[in-house]
Amino acid sequence: MAAMFTCCFGCCGEGGSGHIPLKEMPTVQLDTHHMGTDVVIVKSGRRICGTGGCLANAPLHQNKSYFEFKIQSSGVWGIGVATQKVNLNQVPLGRDTNSLVLRHDGSVYHNNEEKNRLPANSLPQEGDIVGITYDHVEMNLYLNGKNMHCPASGIRGTVYPVVYVDDSAILDCQFSDFYHTPPQGFEKILFEQQIF
């Protein structure tokens, strides 16, 4: 009988509790290792202010991603997707092949070309929620849960959510627990190990 207890308790390690700790999944947030030099990130990696841009800490590996931004204070801002090669000190983004962004004036830019534009009566204002879907081909925009039918494409490679601010703009990022239900088939950003 003593041998049986020794075997059972011995399998759990030397004096161990027998519990294997679960690996905590990382949280998607703004990445302080990939931001402009004059950017300030607060609220546990969810709020951006200052001047410049910042990437999120998770690439968009899954087929259909959704994330949101809330405009806390208006000014010059932009949101969308970008590669890690983007210059986060140069605003506005959308000037080169490394970013595809909606700008505060309603224009959507990639490679210094206007790819689309929000309707004039649908420009995001302070307090509004802008949702973004991305499916590795096309980025689509939602204003307070309503599809703006403003698709844009052209960016290639591994992309991350990106946001930039200037002129007193403050934006909050929402990578889970969304204000609005994601469109059918789209979901929060998953880290690569969560996909498999």
Side-chain angles (χ1 to χ4, degrees), residues 22-42:
L22 294 176
K23 184 178 178 185
E24 190 171 313
M25 296 309 291
T27 302
V28 179
Q29 60 190 29
L30 294 175
D31 188 351
T32 55
H33 299 292
H34 291 96
M35 67 181 200
T37 54
D38 293 326
V39 168
V40 177
I41 304 296
V42 293

Side-chain angles (χ1 to χ4, degrees), residues 32-192:
T32 55
H33 299 292
H34 291 96
M35 67 181 200
T37 54
D38 293 326
V39 168
V40 177
I41 304 296
V42 293
K43 293 194 92 171
S44 302
R46 290 189 44 232
R47 177 170 286 178
I48 183 171
C49 48
T51 298
C54 187
L55 296 175
N57 63 347
L60 303 179
H61 283 304
Q62 76 228 49
N63 291 334
K64 294 183 173 188
S65 304
Y66 178 80
F67 48 99
E68 296 175 334
F69 294 92
K70 182 173 184 179
I71 303 160
Q72 295 290 0
S73 181
S74 59
V76 174
W77 56 264
I79 55 177
V81 294
T83 69
Q84 284 190 325
K85 293 179 182 177
V86 69
N87 181 349
L88 297 168
N89 289 306
Q90 184 182 48
V91 296
L93 298 182
R95 295 180 184 182
D96 58 23
T97 60
N98 296 312
S99 59
L100 172 64
V101 295
L102 166 67
R103 295 178 176 174
H104 70 281
D105 65 0
S107 62
V108 180
Y109 266 80
H110 170 68
N111 202 19
N112 214 29
E113 178 184 334
E114 187 174 308
K115 294 293 193 173
N116 212 329
R117 181 172 281 278
L118 291 175
N121 63 347
S122 296
L123 296 182
Q125 305 295 317
E126 229 172 78
D128 283 344
I129 309 296
V130 181
I132 294 179
T133 59
Y134 184 72
D135 65 5
H136 293 282
V137 175
E138 198 171 75
M139 180 177 81
N140 277 286
L141 305 166
Y142 296 77
L143 181 59
N144 298 318
K146 181 182 176 197
N147 189 341
M148 292 288 95
H149 303 286
C150 187
S153 60
I155 195 164
R156 302 277 183 258
T158 301
V159 298
Y160 297 73
V162 68
V163 56
Y164 71 83
V165 292
D166 196 10
D167 195 27
S168 302
I170 300 172
L171 272 70
D172 284 355
C173 308
Q174 203 68 30
F175 298 114
S176 62
D177 302 321
F178 301 116
Y179 291 99
H180 301 282
T181 303
Q184 188 170 356
F186 288 87
E187 61 183 339
K188 70 179 183 178
I189 300 164
L190 301 174
F191 278 91
E192 198 167 13

